[in-house]
Amino acid sequence: MLITERTSPEMYLVLQSQKILIKQAIELSKQRGNPDYKETTARPSMIKSFMDSPALPESEKTPSRIKAEAQITIGAGTLTTTHALKAATYHMLVNPDVHSQLMTELEDRIRDSNKPPILMDLEQMPYLQAIMHETLHIFYGVSHRLQSNFPNRTPQYKHIAIPPGTPISMSQLHIHDNERYFPDPYKNNPGRWQGPNPRYKYLVPFGKGSRMCVGMGLAKAELLATLANMFCRFGREMELFERERESDIDTVYDAFNPMPCREKIGLMVVFKQGRGLDDE
């Protein structure tokens, strides 16, 4: 573990989180069935919810399986959304016209910046919705090829018959960056989602079909709520600090999640003294 900490700090953090999760899973596994047992958290934890779930067979409720489920849930529910929010923040601040339209809508719809708006109200804001969709278009969610397999039938693609059992995969980048579906695909253009025929059919950051991401609704709610609250309170005070899209924001390599240049530290923002900071 010491070698990993020195050579790969990121992997060390992953391994440390695994140790914490397996410890919690073992503790809860031992305490199951004890009517006097109470968790130390105010609300049931994610691991306890997995342990108590009637949808999961008892044979699957081993500490190692529960640990794996918890780790996947944390990773899928944090990395993707935070990277998308980083990309959205950059594009809002680097584009004055987009930033101005967003601020106008937020300040018109949200009268008290210290009172978080409810999700239903955010979903009625057309430009905020357009920004969310454009963020999901420019930022891919998952850059890795997610495979499908059809062991019992022969998929057909145009005139090609694909043998049963053949892994089939495609990266989201090949759709989102395709000019046939999204003209000028690399340009941040929320307006493309406000026209008469927005291309929702080709927006696939959550996948499609029966295996699409089950957290789509939560992810969209997080994007809307975070962008609305952050820009409503600090949108007039934030400025980019010496960032370049090609190295700090855009996808450079695939680590399942799309990642920027390794040699860069990513998005940095400075805050000017203003109303939002004075309210803190």
Side-chain angles (χ1 to χ4, degrees):
M1 188 71 75
L2 179 60
I3 295 176
T4 304
E5 182 180 7
R6 298 291 178 82
T7 59
S8 180
E10 295 87 355
M11 179 55 66
Y12 174 76
L13 292 176
V14 172
L15 296 176
Q16 287 294 98
S17 68
Q18 288 181 345
K19 288 177 61 176
I20 294 172
L21 292 172
I22 192 67
K23 180 180 178 181
Q24 293 176 352
I26 291 173
E27 178 184 351
L28 281 171
S29 181
K30 291 179 179 179
Q31 296 293 339
R32 290 188 71 207
N34 181 357
D36 297 325
Y37 176 73
K38 292 183 179 180
E39 282 198 289
T40 56
T41 55
R43 293 180 293 179
S45 68
M46 176 174 56
I47 290 180
K48 187 174 189 304
S49 297
F50 289 151
M51 287 285 193
D52 294 342
S53 173
L56 196 63
E58 288 298 319
S59 60
E60 297 287 344
K61 295 181 180 179
T62 62
S64 60
R65 168 64 189 272
I66 296 299
K67 180 267 295 181
E69 292 284 352
Q71 185 176 11
I72 291 172
T73 302
I74 292 172
T78 57
L79 288 176
T80 51
T81 310
T82 53
H83 283 313
L85 287 168
K86 176 187 69 175
T89 301
Y90 171 84
H91 287 293
M92 296 310 99
L93 296 180
V94 80
N95 190 324
D97 292 337
V98 173
H99 180 265
S100 176
Q101 290 186 65
L102 173 64
M103 294 305 302
T104 298
E105 181 174 80
L106 291 176
E107 291 169 350
D108 181 61
R109 300 289 188 95
I110 303 175
R111 298 299 183 181
D112 185 355
S113 62
N114 291 311
K115 183 179 180 181
I118 62 174
L119 180 61
M120 186 179 299
D121 292 338
L122 297 179
E123 292 174 338
Q124 302 304 313
M125 298 184 188
Y127 201 69
L128 180 62
Q129 285 279 327
I131 286 175
M132 178 192 70
H133 287 118
E134 184 65 356
T135 298
L136 294 173
H137 160 237
I138 288 182
F139 181 79
Y140 313 104
V142 172
S143 54
H144 199 66
R145 294 173 177 266
L146 302 178
Q147 295 186 356
S148 295
N149 195 317
F150 303 91
N152 301 318
R153 64 184 179 92
T154 302
Q156 194 78 20
Y157 176 71
K158 295 184 178 180
H159 64 282
I160 302 172
I162 302 174
T166 303
I168 304 171
S169 64
M170 182 175 179
S171 172
Q172 296 173 11
L173 280 71
H174 295 158
I175 302 176
H176 287 195
D177 293 350
N178 193 322
E179 292 190 353
R180 183 193 309 174
Y181 309 129
F182 299 105
D184 199 1
Y186 297 105
K187 179 182 179 181
N188 179 61
N189 177 22
R192 75 171 85 237
W193 304 101
Q194 294 185 302
N197 297 302
R199 312 303 293 274
Y200 294 121
K201 176 180 178 180
Y202 303 104
L203 186 67
V204 293
F206 303 101
K208 287 284 188 179
S210 61
R211 300 301 300 275
M212 71 183 299
C213 177
V214 297
M216 179 177 67
L218 175 61
K220 288 183 175 181
E222 289 176 332
L223 290 173
L224 292 174
T226 304
L227 289 173
N229 281 283
M230 180 171 65
F231 276 89
C232 186
R233 298 185 66 189
F234 306 117
R236 301 291 186 187
E237 285 75 47
M238 292 191 294
E239 290 182 348
L240 289 175
F241 179 73
E242 299 178 358
R243 298 298 94 192
E244 296 179 357
R245 173 178 175 174
E246 292 75 12
S247 57
D248 293 296
I249 305 298
D250 285 352
T251 300
V252 175
Y253 69 98
D254 171 29
F256 190 82
N257 293 105
M259 301 299 292
C261 181
R262 295 175 184 268
E263 287 73 30
K264 297 291 184 175
I265 60 175
L267 178 70
M268 291 185 67
V269 173
V270 295
F271 288 82
K272 300 180 295 183
Q273 188 69 29
R275 177 183 58 82
L277 298 179
D278 289 340
D279 290 343
E280 285 295 295

